[in-house]
Amino acid sequence: MNPSIQDPVVKKKVEDLLSRMSLDQKIGQMTQSERMECTPEDVKNYHLGSVLSGGGSAPGENLTADWVDMSDAYWGASMEQDTNHLAIPLIYGVDAIHGNNNIRGATVFPHNIGLGATNDPGLLERIAQVTAKEILATGVEWTFAPTLAVARDNHWGRVYESYSEDPAIVSSYSGGFVRGLQGDLGTDSVVGCVKHWVGDGGTSNGIDQGETTLSRAELERLHISPYYPALEAGVLTVMVSFNSWNGNKCHGHKVLVTDVLKDKMGFDGYVISDWDGIDYLTEDYYQAVGMGVNAGVDMFMVPENWKTFISHLSSHVRLGTVSMDRIDDAVRRILSVKFAYGLFDKPRPAERSWSNHQSFGSDEHRQVAREAVQKSLVLLKNQGNLLPLNKGSRILVAGKNADNLGHQCGGFTVAWQGTSGNEFIEGGTSIWEGIRGLSPTAVLSRDASAAMTNPQDYDVAVVVIGERPYAEGMGDIRSGDDVIIEAGSQIKGALKVLEPYGHTLELADLHPEDLGTITAIAEQGIPTVVVLVSGRTVIINRELEEATAFVAAWLPGSEGQGVADVLFGDTDFHGKLSFTWPKQTRPTINKGDENYDPLFPYGFGLSYS
Ligand code: GLC
């Protein structure tokens, strides 16, 4: 329950406005389009309640000013009252999931898998507060975060969006992150959205949007439990999940959405669908619309076919297959959030105090991200106490991820699938740049060729390896053809299978170039510190064996110098594994499993002290 929603003054305003709305205006509020699929005029003519930017969907030059102008145009149109249109402010949504990661020059925080290793709920709340400010700088009010997934299979393409395989860690963060975003719902606040409801991290084989088969008790223990602290913190929106539970898709699951989330748990904000999430319910879109609304979803992310959605829902109401009571419940919830957040009383985006604020991407904000990087690193091996490095040593830096800001940021950064190279992540520092900053004599040789020509010139090598960016199903690892058939979901009859990232979690097979680089250097007798940039616990047995020291850096984001700080001992290792590190790709193992025999157990992490 959110006390602002329960405020009698808010309730009165909601009922008054609701009583004056036409059916078209009510259905419009339940509809969310995407910025590339609708204009400000559409917002006014169809009374749209929300517009979003999908991952990487940016206006103009993708600067804060372009975003503010865009948001201002949509908001302004929504407020142009006339005989046909009631002034109800639009709410704009983005995936600011590790900072306001879409925008050029934003502070990009470590992805959640790294934050899980910090075990620092206070830090998470500060990250959320900074993220809120960098969202407000773009004139946007709503983020689809935090993700509360409890990822149980490291084959999943979204493991890095999960804090931990352990619901206890996710629960320890969820309330604070919501408070960090939503605060007192004042001028420093944005609207949060916990996702994906429910069981997204529990699908078989880690197939994205797949099937989560669990008893009700296990679903509660593993995947529902982290939502309680978020609801207690007053989170205003929840996003429903693509996956199924015991064969039934969450987007059409009245028990999960209405009976459990709304009635039993008392959630009083609004539920939004995921991207075309109702398409997966049935091949008949008309039926799918009715199923989603009657399940209890309140707002529908229908980026392309929003006009069809509106038309079908209008028909359902006229024919009585969707009741006006259900429509009023959905719109009541949406209006309650908008009034509780003060959206009706805010100035237009262009006139808000945080819009285009100079703190966007500031050193102050980046310092919080640098601290998060430092605390997220996990030291897995340190033979002969090779670490910490001496700043006066002759250091060779190698590996494909040493000087690649795009790779160290991962997916959902500027582009949906992330980027490669340094040009798109403005204002950040690569791991190499961080090392050079502390040890100016260091030499970069990505393919380590320098080690072959003059091995005697180096005391130690730092080899930064790992994955390239990916997002959602395109990040899945699908070992074996059978699981591909399960992949994704039925979209309009044709099984849409997103090309997975690979077919093995063995890093030596997935990215043989990495072991090649490590071996080339180790064979020259140069002690080697391996730094792994990855979105999950890939199988590293062979790389670990060749390394003298081994650091898990996860997806550290824009502030790569946080890695250098720890490698040189300016600050100690702090991180502890929030995911079990397996020895083999199957069976997946998690904390508490029988016959638990990992490469490194949950909670593992060495330090200098
Ligand atoms: C995506 C994701 C969801 C995201 C939404 C909007 O498909 O599942 O996490 O918030 O679409 O980009």
Side-chain angles (χ1 to χ4, degrees):
M1 291 281 193
N2 186 299
S4 298
I5 287 182
Q6 298 305 320
D7 179 341
V9 172
V10 167
K11 284 181 174 292
K12 186 179 181 317
K13 288 178 179 177
V14 168
E15 293 309 321
D16 166 60
L17 178 51
L18 188 65
S19 68
R20 292 185 284 119
M21 291 171 73
S22 68
L23 176 60
D24 286 351
Q25 290 161 354
K26 291 178 180 177
I27 291 175
Q29 282 301 307
M30 296 170 68
T31 307
Q32 180 188 65
S33 178
E34 211 276 345
R35 57 170 284 278
M36 292 185 287
E37 304 288 341
C38 72
T39 64
E41 292 68 34
D42 291 328
V43 165
K44 177 178 179 181
N45 295 337
Y46 290 87
H47 322 292
L48 299 183
S50 178
V51 174
L52 88 146
S53 279
S57 174
E61 300 298 310
N62 193 17
L63 298 169
T64 57
D66 299 307
W67 282 81
V68 170
D69 292 349
M70 171 191 69
S71 180
D72 192 75
Y74 281 121
W75 194 91
S78 73
M79 295 300 277
E80 283 176 14
Q81 181 141 325
D82 62 21
T83 52
N84 177 50
H85 178 72
L86 280 175
I88 300 175
L90 178 122
I91 186 165
Y92 199 98
V94 294
D95 290 292
I97 64 171
H98 61 137
N100 196 1
N101 37 253
N102 282 317
I103 290 80
R104 287 170 57 185
T107 304
V108 183
F109 289 93
H111 267 298
N112 288 349
I113 188 170
L115 299 180
T118 68
N119 242 323
D120 187 342
L123 171 63
L124 269 283
E125 189 158 346
R126 287 187 287 128
I127 289 172
Q129 288 167 337
V130 169
T131 300
K133 292 181 174 65
E134 298 214 0
I135 293 167
L136 292 168
T138 61
V140 167
E141 302 97 0
W142 181 23
T143 179
F144 308 126
T147 298
L148 300 185
V150 178
R152 305 287 290 174
D153 187 322
N154 52 359
H155 290 73
W156 189 32
R158 307 191 75 169
V159 170
Y160 66 79
E161 295 181 65
S162 169
Y163 297 117
S164 177
E165 69 190 32
D166 180 358
I169 287 187
V170 185
S171 297
S172 74
Y173 289 173
S174 68
F177 201 90
V178 168
R179 281 189 296 275
L181 290 176
Q182 296 189 168
D184 58 0
L185 297 181
T187 51
D188 298 0
S189 311
V190 295
V191 173
C193 179
V194 283
K195 68 183 185 181
H196 308 79
W197 177 263
V198 67
D200 49 354
T203 60
S204 63
N205 295 304
I207 296 292
D208 188 43
Q209 307 183 6
E211 163 60 32
T212 294
T213 303
L214 283 174
S215 68
R216 176 70 178 77
E218 278 298 89
L219 184 75
E220 179 81 25
R221 179 178 74 86
L222 287 173
H223 301 290
I224 290 179
S225 55
Y227 283 80
Y228 286 100
L231 266 58
E232 281 154 30
V235 69
L236 290 171
T237 69
V238 175
M239 184 182 293
V240 71
S241 187
F242 286 123
N243 66 272
S244 305
W245 175 48
N246 296 344
N248 298 305
K249 292 239 165 269
C250 293
H251 272 77
H253 211 296
K254 186 173 183 300
V255 168
L256 287 177
V257 177
T258 299
D259 302 349
V260 174
L261 178 64
K262 292 181 174 180
D263 294 349
K264 174 178 173 290
M265 297 170 73
F267 175 61
D268 55 2
Y270 66 82
V271 175
I272 182 167
S273 80
D274 203 334
W275 188 288
D276 286 336
I278 55 174
D279 290 25
Y280 306 92
L281 294 177
T282 173
E283 294 183 17
D284 176 338
Y285 190 60
Y286 176 78
Q287 293 301 333
V289 169
M291 291 162 73
V293 177
N294 285 329
V297 182
D298 302 308
M299 184 183 281
F300 290 80
M301 189 185 295
V302 282
E304 300 90 1
N305 49 6
W306 56 272
K307 287 182 183 172
T308 308
F309 170 80
I310 288 172
S311 166
H312 284 345
L313 185 48
S314 303
S315 302
H316 274 292
V317 176
R318 275 199 307 279
L319 294 173
T321 44
V322 170
S323 71
M324 184 52 86
D325 284 350
R326 175 72 268 273
I327 296 292
D328 285 345
D329 171 51
V331 178
R332 185 172 287 119
R333 288 170 176 270
I334 293 166
L335 295 180
S336 298
V337 168
K338 291 185 174 183
F339 274 114
Y341 177 59
L343 199 53
F344 286 83
D345 303 323
K346 286 184 187 302
R348 59 187 305 146
E351 294 161 10
R352 294 175 191 162
S353 57
W354 283 104
S355 291
N356 291 314
H357 199 274
Q358 79 274 4
S359 66
F360 181 87
S362 63
D363 289 346
E364 179 196 357
H365 287 181
R366 292 180 189 278
Q367 188 50 40
V368 179
R370 183 172 183 170
E371 176 190 351
V373 174
Q374 293 164 353
K375 291 182 173 178
S376 66
L377 305 179
V378 181
L379 180 58
L380 298 177
K381 180 181 181 182
N382 192 18
Q383 206 167 295
N385 292 324
L386 177 62
L387 291 173
L389 298 176
N390 183 315
K391 291 171 184 173
S393 296
R394 299 171 302 158
I395 301 171
L396 170 68
V397 177
K400 69 171 184 283
N401 286 348
D403 188 35
N404 196 321
L405 276 161
H407 288 197
Q408 73 189 50
C409 285
F412 281 101
T413 313
V414 178
W416 178 45
Q417 293 293 320
T419 63
S420 189
N422 293 334
E423 61 187 299
F424 298 106
I425 314 295
E426 297 170 17
T429 51
S430 69
I431 294 168
W432 151 244
E433 289 165 335
I435 291 172
R436 183 181 54 189
L438 295 178
S439 178
T441 60
V443 170
L444 175 65
S445 172
R446 282 180 183 76
D447 62 359
S449 53
M452 269 52 90
T453 49
N454 305 302
Q456 71 285 352
D457 290 355
Y458 303 104
D459 302 315
V460 63
V462 177
V463 187
V464 188
I465 63 170
E467 296 184 303
R468 292 188 309 278
Y470 49 80
E472 303 189 45
M474 297 177 80
D476 282 2
I477 296 288
R478 299 204 188 117
S479 44
D481 292 341
D482 57 315
V483 294
I484 287 185
I485 299 307
E486 280 179 66
S489 309
Q490 291 282 352
I491 294 183
K492 303 182 183 66
L495 181 64
K496 175 181 174 184
V497 175
L498 291 167
E499 188 54 39
Y501 185 84
H503 298 287
T504 172
L505 273 169
E506 287 279 354
L507 186 63
D509 298 333
L510 203 56
H511 290 291
E513 69 277 7
D514 291 338
L515 185 59
T517 304
I518 299 166
T519 307
I521 293 172
E523 281 172 352
Q524 301 297 334
I526 302 172
T528 302
V529 178
V530 173
V531 176
L532 174 68
V533 171
S534 70
R536 57 193 146 204
T537 52
V538 289
I539 307 303
I540 55 170
N541 303 343
R542 296 169 64 185
E543 295 79 4
L544 185 68
E545 191 179 329
E546 290 289 333
T548 313
F550 201 105
V551 176
W554 316 111
L555 296 172
S558 58
E559 308 312 308
Q561 76 267 31
V563 177
D565 294 337
V566 181
L567 294 183
F568 287 101
D570 286 0
T571 182
D572 198 351
F573 280 96
H574 171 90
K576 305 295 180 196
L577 292 180
S578 64
F579 285 88
T580 298
W581 209 299
K583 286 175 179 166
Q584 70 284 323
T585 189
R586 290 251 183 259
T588 51
I589 52 174
N590 292 297
K591 173 190 175 212
D593 286 356
E594 289 180 19
N595 308 318
Y596 186 71
D597 178 27
L599 182 67
F600 296 104
Y602 170 97
F604 182 86
L606 303 173
S607 68
Y608 297 140
S609 52

